Structures are given as structure tokens and as C-alpha cells.
Amino acid sequence: MGRNVTYTPPVGDLIYLNALGTDILVLNKREDAEELLERRARSYSGRTQIPAMRAMGWDTINIVFMDYGEEWRAHRKACQQLLNLDKTRSYEDVYLRHVHKLLERLLDSPEDFMHYNELFPIGITLDALYGYQVDSLDDPVVVAAQKSAEGTSLLTPSAAYMNIFPFLRHIPPWIPGSMARRKAEKYAHWTREMQRIPLEDRENTAAVSTISDMLERKSVGGVSPEEEKILYNVAYTLYGAAGETTVSSTGTFLHMIATHPAVQKKAQEEIDRVIGTQFRLPTFGDRASLPYVEAIYREVMRYNPPGHLGVPHKTTEDDVYKGYFIPKGTAVFSNIWAMTHDEEKYADPHEFKPERFLDENGQLNDDARVLAYGFGRRACVGKYVASATERLQVWIAIVSILACFTISKAEDEHGNEIEIDDEYEDNGGGVHKKPFKCSIVPRSDLVRKLIEEVAKTE
Ligand code: HEM
């Protein structure tokens, strides 16, 4: 990925290191990740419990960080019930409403596209889960979530002394020197706010949402306190897990489309053929007829998987693999970036080429697995919402933007194109394209009118 890559190229398929007493294994090959994290999932599905995480309260409320066991199992089951394909279909209207809002915003102030790109998945998740509506990144829930997410900075072994000397977790925050402890307190506060505000300040309590549905069942005695607690935790986790990752993918898409006009043209020709002369906005029903758009989606996820190193799994038993001893408690990282840039699998891996996912007849080939969603029992539960074969928020954003706008490099006051750099940054929640300028204009007057009309009716 050119200059934006912060990792040194893998020197071997398996890399072992010990950082401040923690055994770390990095898997650079897909086959090793499938063998260890999937076929041996029974002993590769834990999560490392970092003291700072406990100090922020994340280990008991955020499914992503929960260790393997009954508590995690109950939460994961609730997530899956919420996000199975049938349920996801029932959220379809929410996705469409929010993607139409995104189109309207891009029409009105295209220069703020990065802001709206960020607002899009946040709006969907808060609406679907809580019935809470957000119109700006200054909304108190969004601010609380951003401040809480800053807590990821405490999760590396060296970021906080308490990760090396766990007893520091119990030292009162006012004792001099317990800086990380104080920070953890602050992040824990914002985490509680992130949970409290959408529950208490839901503007539209009549909106159908996961939480309103649960509260309705609760009012007739149909929900146990345990189920209620799990659902609150699930809603909180999903809100956190869905935002950064989706923003990263749609941001990569906008960057790639602005710099690859031939890809854009081909996609728009395909969309025009499917949608026809009576222009309408795309729907989920169009997906199967748009193989090239699908290939763009897969290439976006390959080119810049939002979490380059996934989320580490922890071994819960000793193991031996390819002659190497892997002790219990090892943090196992899947180097998703290395896997999706493996030259043996993907020729010219640093080039953005959707065609690599098509056969000679222009149909999708069988390279359908999106590695960006991780592996085994801890693989992303949001797959159905984020990707899957039918429904998703990344796909609907890609197809809707392509259908309605021409995206290109912006021009300066002399009419010269402003180059777009390749700089990305990892903010702990995902690898994001750094701010850039581009031109976003509606493809026709018809498109403009349609977006305005749809916006008025929704
Ligand atoms: C572009 C979009 C997304 C990407 C690339 C992504 C990627 C990932 C990855 C790599 C993991 C860790 C997998 C592992 O441990 O091997 C994960 C976990 C998770 N994701 Fe996603 N995700 C995305 C969107 C979503 C969405 C939309 C939701 C929910 C609505 C979601 C919910 C979760 C949850 C709950 C977990 C924790 C699973 C567990 O630890 O048991 N994600 N995701």
C-alpha cells in the first residue's frame, strides 16, 4: 500500500516475540490462521485480559474484549440473535434511510464528505439499536463514544504501568504517579455516558429499535434482569464495533474511487445497465446483478482491511504447531494486512484492482471470503450487517454513491488537479485514510432531483 503502510514486511509465516512478559504470536498466512484460530478454536478463542481494560470496565461489558467463557457465550448468542440474516433484513429500511441522508448531505455540502462518512454508520447503529437520532458528530453520545474510544491508547503493554504491574490498578487515582489509573477512570466515565445518554435521551421513543423492543417486552414481564443486562452490553458493544470499521472501509472506497476513474466508469456503466433509464436509487435487491460493484467492495476490504492486525485471540491451553511450542496465554494476532497482500494469492497486491475478484466472463470468482472480518469463534458478529452475501452498510454506501455522484480529484484556484496522497493512520479502532480533498458532483439533474425528493419524504 505504498507509503501508508506502517508495518515492516513479514519476515516469516509465523513470528514470535515476547513483549514485557507477554508471549505474542503473529500469523502472516491465511492457512495458519485457519488452522489455529478455526480448526483449533477450542483453545484459541480467549482474549488477553489487560489490567487497564479492567480498570475501564471494558472486560465485563464489551464483548470484543471479554475472555472466552460462559459470560462471553451468552453475549455472543444475543449478538447473533440480533444480527442473523432475517433480523438484518428487518433493519433494511433503517440502512436505506441513512444512506439517503448521506446522499443528501453529499449533495448539499460535498466538501464535508469525511464528516458525513463518519456520521453514516454511527447514525445507523444508534437508530437501529436505541431509536436515537444523531445529526452531527457534536452529539453528546458521539462525543462520549469518541472520548471512551481514546481508552484504547491504554491497551498496549507499555502504555500503562498497570499493565506490567497489575496491583497499580487498585491504587487510588489521587496518588501521584498513577496517571494511567486516572486516565482509566476518565475513560470509564465516558463509557458509562456512552451507555446512559442514548437510553435516557431517545428522541423518538416510538421508533422501532432493539432497546425499545426489549423495554416493551420488559413491561409485560418478558425479560429477565440477566437478559436486560446482556442486551444493554450488546447495544453498547455493537455501537462501538460498527462505527470505526465501517468508516474506515467507506473512507478507503472514496479514496480509491477518486484516484481510479476507470474503475468508477466501469461501475457506473454496470449500475446504469441494471437500474435502467428511469433512474431510481439502488436497493439491496440490485446486489446480485452488480458483480463489478461487488468486486469493488471485496477489493476495498482487501486493499485496506480496517484492522490490519485484527483483534488478538488468546490461547487457553498449551499447544504445539509446526514443531513450535505455543504456551497457554499467548496473544495470537492475525496479520490480516499481510494475508490480503500476499503476492502468492494477489498479484500486484498494492494495486487497487477489483478485476482480481472476477472470472474471464466478468462474473465473481470464488474468492468470496472477506478476511477483514477475522477468524473462528471470535470472528466479527457484524458480518451480516457489514458485509455477508446480501445485506450490508458498506455495500449500500458504495453502490449509492457510485450511482449518484462523479468523484474525482479536486482542483485548485488555477484549475490544476490537487493530488491525493496515500497517507493512512491507525487510531486504534481502525486504519483510516487521512483527510483529503476531492470533488463530488451529482451525475445529472435527474439524480439531484431524486435525492431531494427522497429526502423530503423520509
Ligand atoms: C467493515 C466492517 C467491519 C469489520 C472489518 C470488522 C472486523 C472485525 C474483526 C477483525 C473482529 C475481530 C475478529 C477476531 O477476533 O478474529 C471483529 C469483532 C467483532 N465485530 Fe466487527 N467488523 C466490522 C463491522 C462490524 C459491525 C457492523 C458490527 C455490529 C453491528 C460488528 C460487531 C463485532 C463484534 C460484536 C465483535 C466481537 C466478536 C467477539 O469477540 O466474539 N462489527 N470485527
Side-chain angles (χ1 to χ4, degrees), residues 268-289:
Q268 288 173 336
E269 282 167 4
E270 180 179 81
I271 292 170
D272 292 346
R273 270 198 308 278
V274 169
I275 286 188
T277 47
Q278 294 294 312
F279 186 75
R280 60 172 172 78
L281 296 177
T283 68
F284 290 100
D286 296 318
R287 191 161 181 193
S289 320

Tab-separated table of all heavy atoms in Angstrom, residues 268-289:
chain	number	residue	atom	x	y	z
A	268	GLN	N	-20.163	2.500	-12.904
A	268	GLN	CA	-21.359	3.291	-13.222
A	268	GLN	C	-22.061	2.741	-14.467
A	268	GLN	O	-23.286	2.748	-14.557
A	268	GLN	CB	-20.983	4.763	-13.373
A	268	GLN	CG	-20.668	5.347	-11.988
A	268	GLN	CD	-20.120	6.740	-11.996
A	268	GLN	OE1	-19.551	7.189	-12.987
A	268	GLN	NE2	-20.261	7.438	-10.873
A	269	GLU	N	-21.277	2.233	-15.418
A	269	GLU	CA	-21.912	1.614	-16.598
A	269	GLU	C	-22.738	0.406	-16.163
A	269	GLU	O	-23.855	0.195	-16.623
A	269	GLU	CB	-20.834	1.187	-17.610
A	269	GLU	CG	-20.313	2.374	-18.406
A	269	GLU	CD	-19.029	2.064	-19.192
A	269	GLU	OE1	-18.571	0.896	-19.188
A	269	GLU	OE2	-18.488	3.013	-19.773
A	270	GLU	N	-22.170	-0.371	-15.242
A	270	GLU	CA	-22.905	-1.551	-14.766
A	270	GLU	C	-24.179	-1.132	-14.025
A	270	GLU	O	-25.263	-1.678	-14.258
A	270	GLU	CB	-22.010	-2.370	-13.832
A	270	GLU	CG	-22.710	-3.607	-13.299
A	270	GLU	CD	-21.808	-4.446	-12.390
A	270	GLU	OE1	-21.674	-4.091	-11.202
A	270	GLU	OE2	-21.251	-5.451	-12.848
A	271	ILE	N	-24.051	-0.137	-13.164
A	271	ILE	CA	-25.220	0.318	-12.391
A	271	ILE	C	-26.297	0.864	-13.351
A	271	ILE	O	-27.486	0.555	-13.217
A	271	ILE	CB	-24.796	1.400	-11.365
A	271	ILE	CG1	-23.923	0.772	-10.289
A	271	ILE	CG2	-26.015	2.069	-10.731
A	271	ILE	CD1	-23.253	1.766	-9.351
A	272	ASP	N	-25.878	1.646	-14.340
A	272	ASP	CA	-26.846	2.225	-15.287
A	272	ASP	C	-27.581	1.117	-16.046
A	272	ASP	O	-28.787	1.207	-16.305
A	272	ASP	CB	-26.149	3.162	-16.279
A	272	ASP	CG	-25.623	4.415	-15.579
A	272	ASP	OD1	-26.035	4.655	-14.422
A	272	ASP	OD2	-24.799	5.137	-16.167
A	273	ARG	N	-26.854	0.061	-16.410
A	273	ARG	CA	-27.490	-1.058	-17.130
A	273	ARG	C	-28.548	-1.713	-16.254
A	273	ARG	O	-29.625	-2.054	-16.719
A	273	ARG	CB	-26.444	-2.126	-17.484
A	273	ARG	CG	-25.784	-1.932	-18.828
A	273	ARG	CD	-25.118	-3.214	-19.322
A	273	ARG	NE	-24.206	-3.845	-18.391
A	273	ARG	CZ	-22.930	-3.475	-18.213
A	273	ARG	NH1	-22.429	-2.456	-18.892
A	273	ARG	NH2	-22.162	-4.109	-17.356
A	274	VAL	N	-28.269	-1.843	-14.975
A	274	VAL	CA	-29.189	-2.563	-14.081
A	274	VAL	C	-30.366	-1.669	-13.671
A	274	VAL	O	-31.525	-2.084	-13.638
A	274	VAL	CB	-28.428	-3.081	-12.834
A	274	VAL	CG1	-29.363	-3.593	-11.759
A	274	VAL	CG2	-27.464	-4.170	-13.260
A	275	ILE	N	-30.069	-0.431	-13.391
A	275	ILE	CA	-31.135	0.462	-12.906
A	275	ILE	C	-31.992	0.994	-14.048
A	275	ILE	O	-33.176	1.280	-13.869
A	275	ILE	CB	-30.500	1.589	-12.052
A	275	ILE	CG1	-30.106	0.962	-10.729
A	275	ILE	CG2	-31.460	2.745	-11.850
A	275	ILE	CD1	-29.650	1.904	-9.683
A	276	GLY	N	-31.402	1.110	-15.228
A	276	GLY	CA	-32.197	1.482	-16.403
A	276	GLY	C	-32.336	2.975	-16.572
A	276	GLY	O	-31.782	3.768	-15.807
A	277	THR	N	-33.093	3.361	-17.586
A	277	THR	CA	-33.177	4.775	-17.947
A	277	THR	C	-34.041	5.570	-16.964
A	277	THR	O	-33.839	6.753	-16.751
A	277	THR	CB	-33.752	4.948	-19.355
A	277	THR	OG1	-34.900	4.114	-19.426
A	277	THR	CG2	-32.737	4.591	-20.426
A	278	GLN	N	-35.031	4.888	-16.367
A	278	GLN	CA	-35.857	5.572	-15.353
A	278	GLN	C	-35.079	5.528	-14.052
A	278	GLN	O	-35.268	4.622	-13.244
A	278	GLN	CB	-37.190	4.820	-15.163
A	278	GLN	CG	-38.103	4.838	-16.359
A	278	GLN	CD	-38.591	6.249	-16.638
A	278	GLN	OE1	-39.028	6.939	-15.736
A	278	GLN	NE2	-38.495	6.685	-17.891
A	279	PHE	N	-34.215	6.492	-13.843
A	279	PHE	CA	-33.290	6.397	-12.724
A	279	PHE	C	-34.033	6.283	-11.382
A	279	PHE	O	-35.022	6.955	-11.133
A	279	PHE	CB	-32.347	7.609	-12.699
A	279	PHE	CG	-31.299	7.463	-11.645
A	279	PHE	CD1	-30.232	6.603	-11.825
A	279	PHE	CD2	-31.402	8.147	-10.437
A	279	PHE	CE1	-29.273	6.432	-10.834
A	279	PHE	CE2	-30.442	7.983	-9.444
A	279	PHE	CZ	-29.380	7.122	-9.645
A	280	ARG	N	-33.548	5.433	-10.554
A	280	ARG	CA	-34.043	5.295	-9.173
A	280	ARG	C	-32.818	5.044	-8.300
A	280	ARG	O	-31.741	4.756	-8.825
A	280	ARG	CB	-35.029	4.131	-9.060
A	280	ARG	CG	-34.411	2.803	-9.437
A	280	ARG	CD	-35.309	1.611	-9.154
A	280	ARG	NE	-34.728	0.396	-9.700
A	280	ARG	CZ	-33.746	-0.292	-9.163
A	280	ARG	NH1	-33.208	0.097	-8.021
A	280	ARG	NH2	-33.272	-1.390	-9.729
A	281	LEU	N	-32.994	5.147	-7.000
A	281	LEU	CA	-31.863	4.879	-6.116
A	281	LEU	C	-31.698	3.361	-5.947
A	281	LEU	O	-32.695	2.627	-5.937
A	281	LEU	CB	-32.082	5.552	-4.757
A	281	LEU	CG	-32.127	7.086	-4.808
A	281	LEU	CD1	-32.416	7.666	-3.421
A	281	LEU	CD2	-30.816	7.659	-5.346
A	282	PRO	N	-30.471	2.885	-5.843
A	282	PRO	CA	-30.262	1.434	-5.713
A	282	PRO	C	-30.884	0.870	-4.431
A	282	PRO	O	-31.051	1.594	-3.438
A	282	PRO	CB	-28.736	1.297	-5.645
A	282	PRO	CG	-28.179	2.594	-6.100
A	282	PRO	CD	-29.209	3.636	-5.830
A	283	THR	N	-31.203	-0.403	-4.472
A	283	THR	CA	-31.717	-1.090	-3.277
A	283	THR	C	-30.905	-2.373	-3.085
A	283	THR	O	-30.128	-2.756	-3.966
A	283	THR	CB	-33.202	-1.486	-3.424
A	283	THR	OG1	-33.273	-2.498	-4.433
A	283	THR	CG2	-34.073	-0.304	-3.792
A	284	PHE	N	-31.148	-3.042	-1.965
A	284	PHE	CA	-30.422	-4.288	-1.709
A	284	PHE	C	-30.741	-5.356	-2.765
A	284	PHE	O	-29.938	-6.233	-3.029
A	284	PHE	CB	-30.762	-4.815	-0.312
A	284	PHE	CG	-30.184	-3.952	0.776
A	284	PHE	CD1	-30.969	-3.023	1.434
A	284	PHE	CD2	-28.850	-4.065	1.122
A	284	PHE	CE1	-30.429	-2.224	2.435
A	284	PHE	CE2	-28.301	-3.263	2.113
A	284	PHE	CZ	-29.093	-2.330	2.776
A	285	GLY	N	-31.919	-5.248	-3.361
A	285	GLY	CA	-32.331	-6.221	-4.380
A	285	GLY	C	-31.449	-6.179	-5.619
A	285	GLY	O	-31.443	-7.120	-6.416
A	286	ASP	N	-30.689	-5.105	-5.811
A	286	ASP	CA	-29.853	-4.980	-7.016
A	286	ASP	C	-28.533	-5.731	-6.881
A	286	ASP	O	-27.806	-5.895	-7.851
A	286	ASP	CB	-29.523	-3.490	-7.271
A	286	ASP	CG	-30.767	-2.674	-7.569
A	286	ASP	OD1	-31.620	-3.174	-8.321
A	286	ASP	OD2	-30.887	-1.551	-7.037
A	287	ARG	N	-28.229	-6.150	-5.680
A	287	ARG	CA	-26.857	-6.606	-5.415
A	287	ARG	C	-26.384	-7.755	-6.316
A	287	ARG	O	-25.275	-7.720	-6.855
A	287	ARG	CB	-26.712	-7.000	-3.949
A	287	ARG	CG	-25.265	-7.209	-3.584
A	287	ARG	CD	-25.032	-7.158	-2.122
A	287	ARG	NE	-23.613	-7.339	-1.845
A	287	ARG	CZ	-23.115	-7.578	-0.662
A	287	ARG	NH1	-23.916	-7.649	0.367
A	287	ARG	NH2	-21.827	-7.733	-0.494
A	288	ALA	N	-27.250	-8.745	-6.470
A	288	ALA	CA	-26.826	-9.915	-7.243
A	288	ALA	C	-26.567	-9.568	-8.707
A	288	ALA	O	-25.846	-10.289	-9.404
A	288	ALA	CB	-27.903	-10.994	-7.143
A	289	SER	N	-27.138	-8.477	-9.197
A	289	SER	CA	-26.963	-8.106	-10.615
A	289	SER	C	-25.757	-7.196	-10.823
A	289	SER	O	-25.547	-6.714	-11.934
A	289	SER	CB	-28.203	-7.363	-11.123
A	289	SER	OG	-29.361	-7.933	-10.619
